[in-house]
Amino acid sequence: MDLNFTEEELAFRDECRRFFTTEIPAALREKVAQGDHLSKDEYVTTQRILNARGWAVPHWPVAWGGQDWTPVQTYLYQDEMQQANVPAPLAFNVSMVGPVIAQFGSEAQKKRFLPRCANLDDWWCQGFSEPGSGSDLASLRTTAKRVGDKYIVNGQKTWTTLAQHADWIFNLVRTDPTAKKQEGISFLLIDMKTPGIKVRPIQTIDGGHEVNEVFFDDVEVPAENLVGEENKGWDYAKFLLGNERTGIARVGVSKARIRRLKQLAAREVAGDVPLIEDRRFREKLAEVEIELKALEMTQLRVVADERRAVKGKPNPASSILKIKGSEIQQRITELTMDLAGPYAWPYTRDEDEGSNEPPVGPDFAAEAAPMYFNYRKVSIYGGSNEIQRNIIAKAILGF
Amino acid sequence: MDFDLTDEQRLLRDSVERLVADRYGFEQRRKYAAEPGGWSREMWAQYAELGLLGLPFAEDHGGFGGGAAETMIVMEAFGRALILEPYVATVLLGGGLVQAAGSAAQQAEILPRIAGGETVLAFAHTERQARYDLADVATAARQDGGAWRITGEKGVVLHGDTADTLVVSARVSGGRRDAAGIGLFLVPAEASGVTRRGYPAQDLLHGAEISLHDAPATPLGTPGEGFAAIARVVDRTIAALCAEAVGAMAELHAMTVDYLKTRKQFGRPIGDFQVLQHRSVDMFTALEQARSMAMYATVMADSDDADERARAVSAAKVQIGRSARFVGQEAIQLHGGIGMTMEYKAGHLFKRLTMIDKAYGDADHHLARLAAAGGLFSEAA
């Protein structure tokens, strides 16, 4: 048992750290540290810097820009990126649609989409969830009817993250209404500029606009935009959701947030004493640190196991990473809000956009409550924590 | 980075697991508990034969040269089987202190006898007023002519009733709560001036309250400079207790899942109910988080950086305390009535897990210690 990385791994970690902290603009990383929302341009800027280095899509096949890293290298890359507050390459592009096209798409689709996907020339969004299908994804009802060399798509998607920026949407659609629920689904790529598509924003409880509803009204999609075979979309979706779980623990993000929380707690005073010296606060902080260290170790155990794992088959233990990772992220937002105290109350977010007014109260306080509200999502998305429990119950405990 | 066991470690694990599977079933354990002092001399001899009693000692001292990882392997298997023998008291605490503080001559004399199963040691350290503060030692050592004599009260001494030699901490100089000035001494358990009141504990292990009145003592190492050795050995012992707890939790969780799959109510296994599945999943998550921290503590336990070692060990002890309480309580609840009886192993695992939290600092104590030391993640990246 040895928790030390090899010389080569340490050198790689340092290379990652140097790159992330010198090549990605500091102002942008500071925004991430603050919990501010990034503009579309800021996401694009970051991803293009990474892509120029060959680091936007390291887990893709080498032929399409992948790096063929070991699981430990991938872990170090993610951990360093998160700790440096670098916004990750857009997951919809690099972890979701990209790997699906690379694995199941035609040569023409690969050539057309993958390079633009890696460089964020096309912004993709995910058309999976529907108003009636949340965790029970296969119950989706959006239809695609084949007419000549086109599909006609009708229906509605929801919780579509950052669809307001998107050029393309990858959609699960029902192509065989008579088949059993998992069997009549296809995976379709749709240009967001196609007539008949309407995007309606959903404002979430933090006041922000991350998610949308997307409506499809007789939308014509060229048949060449079907990925793989018709009615095999569920297999591709399962493959995609397996990819989604890597890095879901977000240990590096939580480490960075805890460090920042400690800096802020050393600065904020209650009476004459910095909050970091308040025993109750310090112990609450230490409790999260312990949970996080345990999760980091659990993640390293999963990473070490990946050497033996079957490719594309996620380790069911990664469900633990999702559950604990989301709980810890949520807990940190609670502590940040506790630190803001009464100044968690003012809502100044809209006014802050492009405003030169000084903040109301401490500078971190404006985002404290919105982030707390917003982060209730992390135990819901990506397979709710209850679904993760179902996975562990079935795949590990054998119920 | 590597979590795999070496071939030698795998061999060790297999042989310990085989031994406890063959010889330490629940009914067998009940018989051992009824023997004097609550443990089996026959099993003790078996451990000696397997080399377990010399595991952490140098080969020159009849040992195996093992580190914290080897101890973890043994303790996890012992935890599953709820071993009653004085392994922690003799090998980890007593032997550990001789190793850490003893002169070359003392090591050469005592360690081979431990490895051979010929002697049982106990560490008489805790005092009633000290609770979990390792530096709080009122028991005093004084020199009378050339000889040392000790006077004071020691409590909750693990296996203090059957030990033949006591390692006693006593103050040579300084104030009651000073780390400086604490010495370690060897005191024969049957010496004049030593009074022992032995008792069985909640987990069927044994303990003793020990009064020392001008008891004759031999310094273990330099008198007055024992604290660093105590801190180091206790940290290592805590890491070992964490591994024991992981073994006990793993056993308890496996028993619970089995029970849910076989116990039928309303015409079907109760494990069909999602609410019970999810509760057993939460136990599993708590177990795996605890396992991760036990590994972390194990790796850090051999560190020479006392501050770093203490933080890691405290963090692990908090996690273990929390996980053990959760897994233990849930296991009893999910078993229902059968979990409440002395006739069934689950309750005994729960009892041992509960008491591991109370040994060498509970979760609250270690949380406070870690928080005061600034936590695990430094402010700077």
Side-chain angles (χ1 to χ4, degrees):
Chain A
M1 218 171 50
D2 180 5
L3 299 185
N4 297 310
F5 295 110
T6 65
E7 287 296 321
E8 295 79 39
E9 287 164 348
L10 288 175
F12 178 76
R13 186 191 65 184
D14 292 345
E15 190 188 341
C16 289
R17 188 171 297 178
R18 201 164 44 243
F19 183 79
F20 293 139
T21 54
T22 57
E23 298 299 318
I24 310 296
L28 199 154
R29 294 191 292 116
E30 180 51 31
K31 273 184 94 172
V32 174
Q34 289 265 10
D36 288 350
H37 284 264
L38 297 184
S39 68
K40 180 173 182 177
D41 278 352
E42 285 167 326
Y43 281 111
V44 171
T45 301
T46 307
Q47 186 155 336
R48 289 190 183 158
I49 295 170
L50 292 170
N51 197 39
R53 178 75 175 76
W55 283 5
V57 291
H59 52 291
W60 284 15
V62 174
W64 296 104
Q67 292 286 353
D68 199 24
W69 283 340
T70 63
V72 172
Q73 280 179 300
T74 304
Y75 163 79
L76 291 170
Y77 156 84
Q78 278 175 351
D79 194 56
E80 288 299 325
M81 181 156 63
Q82 292 177 356
Q83 289 200 65
N85 294 305
V86 173
L90 192 67
F92 310 107
N93 283 37
V94 307
S95 304
M96 299 186 187
V97 75
V100 167
I101 293 174
Q103 181 81 14
F104 305 106
S106 66
E107 278 309 299
Q109 285 172 338
K110 290 179 195 175
K111 283 202 188 105
R112 178 179 174 195
F113 291 114
L114 289 180
R116 295 179 58 80
C117 184
N119 205 44
L120 201 44
D121 295 334
D122 295 327
W123 186 297
W124 287 86
C125 64
Q126 180 185 29
F128 277 24
S129 293
E130 297 185 4
S133 70
S135 291
D136 181 12
L137 186 56
S139 67
L140 61 91
R141 290 194 311 206
T142 295
T143 58
K145 208 168 145 196
R146 179 79 183 243
V147 179
D149 58 354
K150 288 188 181 119
Y151 287 99
I152 311 296
V153 178
N154 280 288
Q156 184 196 341
K157 296 291 176 181
T158 192
W159 312 128
T160 316
T161 301
L162 300 181
Q164 69 266 38
H165 300 330
D167 304 300
W168 286 81
I169 184 166
F170 54 94
N171 240 11
L172 289 181
V173 292
R174 191 160 294 287
T175 35
D176 181 353
T178 61
K180 277 196 290 181
K181 65 181 195 174
Q182 278 89 351
E183 286 164 15
I185 294 172
S186 297
F187 197 104
L188 209 52
L189 311 176
I190 305 176
D191 187 333
M192 289 291 280
K193 288 186 294 292
T194 319
I197 297 180
K198 220 166 51 198
V199 177
R200 191 188 78 83
I202 299 173
Q203 193 181 29
T204 41
I205 51 176
D206 55 306
H209 172 204
E210 276 181 344
V211 289
N212 304 272
E213 292 178 296
V214 183
F215 297 90
F216 299 86
D217 183 12
D218 283 334
V219 174
E220 294 185 9
V221 181
E224 67 191 38
N225 287 6
L226 175 76
V227 174
E229 291 176 49
E230 201 176 84
N231 299 329
K232 286 275 158 60
W234 187 250
D235 294 343
Y236 313 148
K238 274 199 305 194
F239 170 86
L240 178 155
L241 292 170
N243 281 320
E244 193 182 0
R245 256 182 257 147
T246 56
I248 202 139
R250 291 170 47 100
V251 169
V253 170
S254 290
K255 279 193 225 167
R257 296 230 167 102
I258 279 181
R259 289 202 180 99
R260 182 161 169 278
L261 194 52
K262 284 183 160 177
Q263 288 161 6
L264 295 171
R267 209 183 68 188
E268 289 302 309
V269 292
D272 298 327
V273 187
L275 265 149
I276 194 74
E277 285 169 34
D278 176 83
R279 183 176 163 162
R280 181 80 190 109
F281 187 81
R282 209 167 56 185
E283 291 187 1
K284 285 196 287 188
L285 200 56
E287 275 175 324
V288 190
E289 289 182 76
I290 294 165
E291 290 268 4
L292 182 60
K293 176 54 87 175
L295 184 66
E296 183 181 27
M297 294 295 299
T298 304
Q299 171 156 313
L300 287 170
R301 288 166 55 202
V302 172
V303 168
D305 266 354
E306 268 175 49
R307 284 174 305 192
R308 288 182 287 265
V310 189
K311 213 164 168 63
K313 257 201 126 142
N315 184 338
S318 52
S319 291
I320 293 182
L321 303 181
K322 168 65 172 41
I323 293 172
K324 293 310 290 186
S326 55
E327 288 175 356
I328 290 167
Q329 290 178 71
Q330 290 175 334
R331 182 71 184 132
I332 293 170
T333 66
E334 287 172 32
L335 291 179
T336 309
M337 196 169 60
D338 290 351
L339 189 64
Y343 277 99
W345 184 52
Y347 180 80
T348 56
R349 203 187 228 183
D350 285 343
E351 287 82 339
D352 279 352
E353 292 290 337
S355 151
N356 59 0
E357 287 271 324
V360 177
D363 57 4
F364 71 92
E367 287 300 332
M371 198 137 163
Y372 166 70
F373 295 132
N374 182 273
Y375 265 57
R376 302 317 300 168
K377 74 186 176 189
V378 298
S379 51
I380 299 171
Y381 69 30
S384 72
N385 284 13
E386 287 66 35
I387 292 290
Q388 303 300 332
R389 287 183 173 88
N390 289 348
I391 291 170
I392 296 172
K394 211 169 155 184
I396 299 180
L397 304 184
F399 282 108
Chain B
M1 189 196 65
D2 190 0
F3 294 90
D4 291 347
L5 301 183
T6 63
D7 288 344
E8 273 191 334
Q9 289 171 339
R10 213 168 299 130
L11 217 62
L12 173 67
R13 184 194 61 193
D14 293 349
S15 58
V16 179
E17 284 182 353
R18 202 173 320 118
L19 177 69
V20 297
D22 290 348
R23 306 288 303 271
Y24 234 98
F26 185 61
E27 290 307 318
Q28 289 161 310
R29 176 177 181 269
R30 204 198 280 273
K31 287 197 198 96
Y32 303 150
E35 291 183 32
W39 55 275
S40 160
R41 273 67 184 168
E42 203 188 316
M43 288 307 298
W44 196 244
Q46 291 282 326
Y47 303 150
E49 201 168 297
L50 262 183
L52 303 182
L53 300 185
L55 193 67
F57 309 146
E59 285 169 34
D60 290 352
H61 297 139
F64 197 81
E70 282 73 21
T71 299
M72 178 189 82
I73 289 164
V74 172
M75 289 302 291
E76 191 176 331
F78 279 8
R80 279 180 179 273
L82 289 168
I83 294 299
L84 297 164
E85 285 67 40
Y87 190 80
V88 169
T90 302
V91 178
L92 301 183
L93 289 168
L97 288 165
V98 171
Q99 233 182 341
S103 66
Q106 285 172 323
Q107 294 186 31
E109 187 207 327
I110 301 168
L111 298 180
R113 296 187 58 232
I114 295 176
E118 297 155 37
T119 181
V120 171
L121 273 62
F123 180 34
H125 177 62
T126 302
E127 299 177 9
R128 189 164 167 182
Q129 83 287 345
R131 285 181 70 87
Y132 299 126
D133 180 359
L134 287 180
D136 188 335
V137 174
T139 296
R142 63 180 180 86
Q143 246 176 324
D144 179 11
W148 287 88
R149 293 195 177 275
I150 294 180
T151 299
E153 303 290 328
K154 296 291 185 179
V156 292
V157 179
L158 181 63
H159 294 293
D161 57 343
T162 44
D164 47 64
T165 302
L166 305 173
V167 180
V168 182
S169 59
R171 186 159 294 287
V172 175
S173 64
R176 201 191 85 203
R177 301 181 65 187
D178 291 345
I182 297 173
L184 286 166
F185 298 87
L186 297 169
V187 177
E190 302 293 341
S192 65
V194 177
T195 318
R196 295 190 282 176
R197 176 184 166 198
Y199 46 76
Q202 300 293 335
D203 47 18
L204 295 189
L205 296 180
H206 275 234
E209 301 297 292
I210 300 179
S211 297
L212 301 127
H213 187 75
D214 279 336
T218 313
L220 187 63
T222 312
E225 292 176 16
F227 187 75
I230 293 172
R232 172 185 286 264
V233 169
V234 168
D235 278 345
R236 281 191 188 161
T237 301
I238 290 172
L241 291 173
C242 289
E244 182 188 353
V246 166
M249 273 187 262
E251 177 78 357
L252 193 47
H253 181 254
M255 287 179 72
T256 306
V257 169
D258 271 357
Y259 185 77
L260 294 179
K261 287 177 182 172
T262 46
R263 168 73 170 168
K264 287 206 172 85
Q265 296 276 270
F266 310 106
R268 52 177 163 159
I270 58 175
D272 282 1
F273 296 110
Q274 192 184 40
V275 66
L276 299 185
Q277 290 181 7
H278 282 197
R279 288 175 75 165
S280 70
V281 167
D282 289 344
M283 291 168 71
F284 177 72
T285 304
L287 161 64
E288 289 305 316
Q289 290 284 85
R291 188 189 296 281
S292 286
M293 286 309 273
M295 287 175 162
Y296 179 58
T298 298
V299 171
M300 302 301 283
D302 285 334
S303 170
D304 288 323
D305 182 336
D307 175 60
E308 195 182 37
R309 189 187 68 217
R311 285 177 202 228
V313 163
S314 282
K317 194 70 171 30
V318 174
Q319 179 70 55
I320 293 290
R322 298 274 160 89
S323 286
R325 182 171 290 187
F326 179 74
V327 170
Q329 292 178 351
E330 288 292 280
I332 301 303
Q333 179 67 25
L334 297 192
H335 272 94
I338 188 70
M340 292 298 301
T341 73
M342 280 285 202
E343 291 160 39
Y344 191 65
K345 190 176 176 184
H348 293 263
L349 288 160
F350 174 46
K351 283 150 71 79
R352 177 63 190 141
L353 283 169
T354 303
M355 293 308 145
I356 286 175
D357 182 52
K358 297 288 167 270
Y360 293 106
D362 60 13
D364 285 350
H365 170 82
H366 283 285
L367 183 64
R369 181 166 96 146
L370 177 65
L376 282 171
F377 297 95
S378 65
E379 276 176 46

